[in-house]
Amino acid sequence: MWSGVGKLKCWVNRLLGDVGVVFYLSIFLIVAFLTVAAVDPDETQRLAQKALNATTSNFGWLYLLTSSGFVLFTLGLAFSRFGIIRLGLDDEPPEFSFSSWLAMIFSGGMGVGLVFWGVAEPILHLSSPPLGIGAPGSVEAAQTGMRYAFFHWGLHQWANFTVVGLAIAYVRFRHNSRGLISETFRPLLGDRVDGGWGNAIDILAVLSTIFGVATTLGLGALQINSGLSRLSGMPYGITPQLLIIAGLGSLFILSAMTPLNRGIRYLSNANMVLAAGLLLFVLMLGPTAFIFSELTQTMGEYVGNIIQMSLVTTPYSSAHWVQEWTIFYWAWGLSWAPFVGSFIARISQGRTIREFVLGVMIVPVLLSMLWFSTFGGSAIYFELFENAGIAAAVAQEVPAGLYAMLDQLPGGFYAAIVAVLLVSMFVVTSADSATFVLGMFTSKGVLNPTRFVRILWGVLQLLMAGVLLLSGGLLGLRTISIVTAFPFMLLMVLMAYSLYRDLSLEWQRRQKNDNLLHERIESMLLRESEREAARQAEENAHPSAPEPTEDADVGEAVEHEEGEKIRN
């Protein structure tokens, strides 16, 4: 009997690897939520909406201040004295090439969101102007909408990922610690991160991650369903969307069974090639001059108005535009931060802090701006100057805007096929990356969780996305993102402080070691200069000078006595 129990225990250990409290408690909480939401999705949506109203009404300002603070914090680190610190050994080269690194960052980051909102957001702002600026359908509404699209996909969004990614990469590769969120709090909590406090932090990170990724899977399913509906006549509704999620799930579970440097890496590179091809197609066959003019003007407006846009709260109005858009985006980014940040940290070994911040924040932001100018700008052009009916298509079905815009271009039918394929690949890449990160969080930070653990988290992501769609579709996805992101946002503030404190301590140790080395070198040089002076003195002595003798010394003493007597 005991032999059978021992064999079962060994089999479970091989299947799960080194898991503990975080794994089992996270699974329990997620399964409990899935059960309640599946049994009564309407009540789940009602409670989530109630929590959303309370969060945005009382703490909406905190989302804005925190996200803006992260932008200043990360850029400040990059251009400070800490920027030269390497995430790894001082002479360690990067693990991945720069192009592959950027491709994985972009694909694992917001690829699905860019495709989903690239046309939809500017057109929705055109129809319902942000903060009531301009009349619906006017040029002023169009330009304001593009400016806010740049803002929502700009520095603030990627600063969230940068804070978490940098904190984890620093403790993982600089201090050789476990790749866990809780490890970033060791400068503040000390050994308490190895107990209940650390477990609570990691469980919160797991919950935030799975809700954030489920939101993205849901958006991807909506976008794919819309495309297939236009291409093949498939009905647009919850049943096809659930089937799409199941189909994509089988693909990313297969990808999850391959090593990181093969599955995700190759998928990410393929995503970038496909996305670049679709971007060039619209850029060349669309209103090219208008796109670049829109890009140039909106970049200027974004830079000139970024402070004002960052802090708008509309306290004198009952409108909920800021809550529905800006706070949703910041909350979505915050809920994605543990996943995207951990994944970026995993692939950034050997980068300096300055290289990490600029690579994660600046390059993706510039690509996002080009994407929105190309797709959103083209959609606005066709809507304003050719009455293409894109706004009507978006009003009826939000993800349909992309395909309505592509219909205005020659070969738009085939471009729509590429778009559906691109979204599918982005979903697979993001979900695959998330299974890896969730497995790492719940396996005590190991860099390569077991296949079973990754597959288990993949299945739970699918179930969560399906339940959220059942609980309100796009509105349900938005609601749950904002609510679940709030507690992790508070943790991120402490994480940023802990990272700065850790960097300061390392810099002090580095300065102390540098001073000690400098003193030793000076000491060595001083002793060497003394020996050199002695050698010089010996070489300068005349070689024919007679050696002093005993008689000469006596004579000199007698002469000295006689001289003294005469003077006296």
Side-chain angles (χ1 to χ4, degrees):
M1 176 181 176
W2 293 111
S3 176
V5 173
K7 289 181 179 179
L8 178 61
K9 187 176 181 180
C10 290
W11 179 76
V12 171
N13 288 337
R14 286 197 303 269
L15 201 64
L16 299 179
D18 187 16
V19 298
V21 175
V22 175
F23 175 82
Y24 293 110
L25 194 51
S26 298
I27 294 290
F28 172 77
L29 293 174
I30 290 167
V31 171
F33 177 85
L34 289 173
T35 303
V36 172
V39 171
D40 194 349
D42 294 335
E43 181 65 14
T44 301
Q45 171 62 18
R46 188 188 69 80
L47 293 176
Q49 187 64 43
K50 188 175 181 180
L52 170 66
N53 294 336
T55 302
T56 55
S57 299
N58 297 309
F59 301 105
W61 57 272
L62 189 56
Y63 282 97
L64 302 180
L65 285 178
T66 301
S67 295
S68 300
F70 288 154
V71 173
L72 298 176
F73 175 74
T74 51
L75 291 177
L77 286 183
F79 294 104
S80 71
R81 57 188 180 180
F82 304 134
I84 63 174
I85 296 177
R86 190 170 296 276
L87 303 175
L89 302 177
D90 288 335
D91 56 350
E92 187 171 9
E95 182 179 3
F96 298 99
S97 67
F98 189 72
S99 58
S100 292
W101 181 59
L102 289 179
M104 286 190 281
I105 289 173
F106 201 70
S107 297
M110 305 299 287
V112 175
L114 282 174
V115 178
F116 186 92
W117 293 109
V119 170
E121 182 175 352
I123 291 296
L124 286 171
H125 293 334
L126 175 66
S127 303
S128 180
L131 304 172
I133 300 175
S138 65
V139 173
E140 186 179 11
Q143 189 56 47
T144 304
M146 283 298 296
R147 185 174 76 238
Y148 267 96
F150 274 37
F151 174 62
H152 291 151
W153 293 86
L155 296 174
H156 290 68
Q157 192 69 271
W158 287 90
N160 296 324
F161 308 150
T162 305
V163 169
V164 178
L166 185 57
I168 294 178
Y170 178 76
V171 299
R172 177 66 186 88
F173 300 120
R174 194 69 180 174
H175 295 330
N176 200 28
S177 300
R178 298 173 299 170
L180 297 173
I181 297 291
S182 58
E183 283 293 331
T184 64
F185 290 85
R186 192 171 289 277
L188 294 180
L189 300 178
D191 293 338
R192 283 175 289 180
V193 300
D194 299 321
W197 283 101
N199 292 336
I201 291 171
D202 290 328
I203 290 171
L204 183 58
V206 170
L207 298 178
S208 179
T209 298
I210 199 164
F211 280 112
V213 176
T215 300
T216 299
L217 294 180
L219 293 178
L222 295 176
Q223 187 71 62
I224 294 169
N225 187 193
S226 179
L228 293 178
S229 176
R230 297 179 72 91
L231 293 172
S232 64
M234 173 189 289
Y236 184 82
I238 186 63
T239 301
Q241 290 158 13
L242 294 177
L243 292 175
I244 289 169
I245 288 177
L248 293 175
S250 62
L251 293 177
F252 77 70
I253 287 174
L254 287 175
S255 177
M257 298 175 67
T258 61
L260 176 67
N261 59 359
R262 290 174 54 191
I264 297 178
R265 179 184 179 184
Y266 294 154
L267 273 175
S268 300
N269 290 337
N271 287 343
M272 292 302 291
V273 171
L274 205 59
L278 187 62
L279 180 72
L280 289 175
F281 172 81
V282 178
L283 192 61
M284 300 304 294
L285 297 182
T288 307
F290 179 85
I291 290 171
F292 282 110
S293 296
E294 180 73 40
L295 173 64
T296 304
Q297 177 170 322
T298 310
M299 284 183 66
E301 292 189 4
Y302 169 69
V303 174
N305 294 275
I306 187 171
I307 296 177
Q308 179 185 2
M309 291 188 295
S310 299
L311 304 176
V312 169
T313 58
T314 62
Y316 303 107
S317 171
S318 59
H320 298 287
W321 189 91
V322 174
Q323 288 86 344
E324 293 173 353
W325 284 100
T326 303
I327 293 179
F328 160 68
Y329 272 119
W330 292 178
W332 187 22
L334 290 166
S335 65
W336 262 59
F339 149 54
V340 178
S342 299
F343 179 72
I344 294 174
R346 170 63 183 86
I347 62 176
S348 299
Q349 185 173 4
R351 305 281 173 187
T352 64
I353 288 179
R354 182 171 296 127
E355 186 180 10
F356 181 95
V357 172
L358 296 181
V360 175
M361 285 186 65
I362 304 303
V363 176
V365 167
L366 293 176
L367 291 175
S368 298
M369 290 178 174
L370 179 60
W371 185 276
F372 269 91
S373 296
T374 302
F375 288 86
S378 297
I380 287 176
Y381 177 87
F382 291 132
E383 183 66 19
L384 288 180
F385 304 114
E386 298 185 7
N387 297 317
I390 299 176
V394 171
Q396 183 178 358
E397 185 181 302
V398 174
L402 172 64
Y403 308 108
M405 186 276 293
L406 292 176
D407 284 343
Q408 311 305 312
L409 304 174
F413 177 84
Y414 301 102
I417 296 176
V418 174
V420 171
L421 181 60
L422 177 62
V423 176
S424 302
M425 292 178 62
F426 269 136
V427 169
V428 171
T429 307
S430 298
D432 188 5
S433 305
T435 60
F436 172 84
V437 171
L438 287 167
M440 186 174 66
F441 283 169
T442 54
S443 299
K444 300 182 180 179
V446 298
L447 291 180
N448 293 294
T450 65
R451 288 182 178 179
F452 179 81
V453 169
R454 294 177 66 182
I455 292 173
L456 177 61
W457 283 115
V459 172
L460 290 175
Q461 287 179 84
L462 295 176
L463 294 175
M464 184 66 72
V467 164
L468 293 181
L469 286 174
L470 288 170
S471 301
L474 181 58
L475 180 60
L477 296 173
R478 282 187 170 191
T479 300
I480 205 69
S481 290
I482 297 175
V483 173
T484 57
F486 182 73
F488 193 76
M489 175 184 67
L490 302 179
L491 279 182
M492 284 180 60
V493 174
L494 296 176
M495 183 187 299
Y497 172 70
S498 180
L499 173 61
Y500 180 79
R501 183 174 177 179
D502 211 359
L503 288 171
S504 299
L505 291 175
E506 175 174 341
W507 193 263
Q508 291 175 9
R509 290 192 298 268
R510 176 179 290 199
Q511 290 292 101
K512 184 177 180 180
N513 292 335
D514 288 346
N515 292 337
L516 182 60
L517 179 62
H518 183 69
E519 291 175 0
R520 288 179 177 177
I521 292 175
E522 282 188 342
S523 178
M524 292 174 61
L525 292 176
L526 182 60
R527 288 197 296 269
E528 180 64 27
S529 64
E530 290 175 349
R531 288 195 293 270
E532 182 65 22
R535 285 196 299 270
Q536 289 291 335
E538 184 177 350
E539 291 175 359
N540 292 335
H542 199 283
S544 60
E547 293 290 337
T549 61
E550 186 177 347
D551 294 340
D553 291 341
V554 172
E556 289 177 358
V558 171
E559 291 177 359
H560 179 70
E561 287 184 20
E562 291 178 352
E564 288 293 326
K565 291 178 180 179
I566 293 173
R567 283 194 294 272
N568 292 332

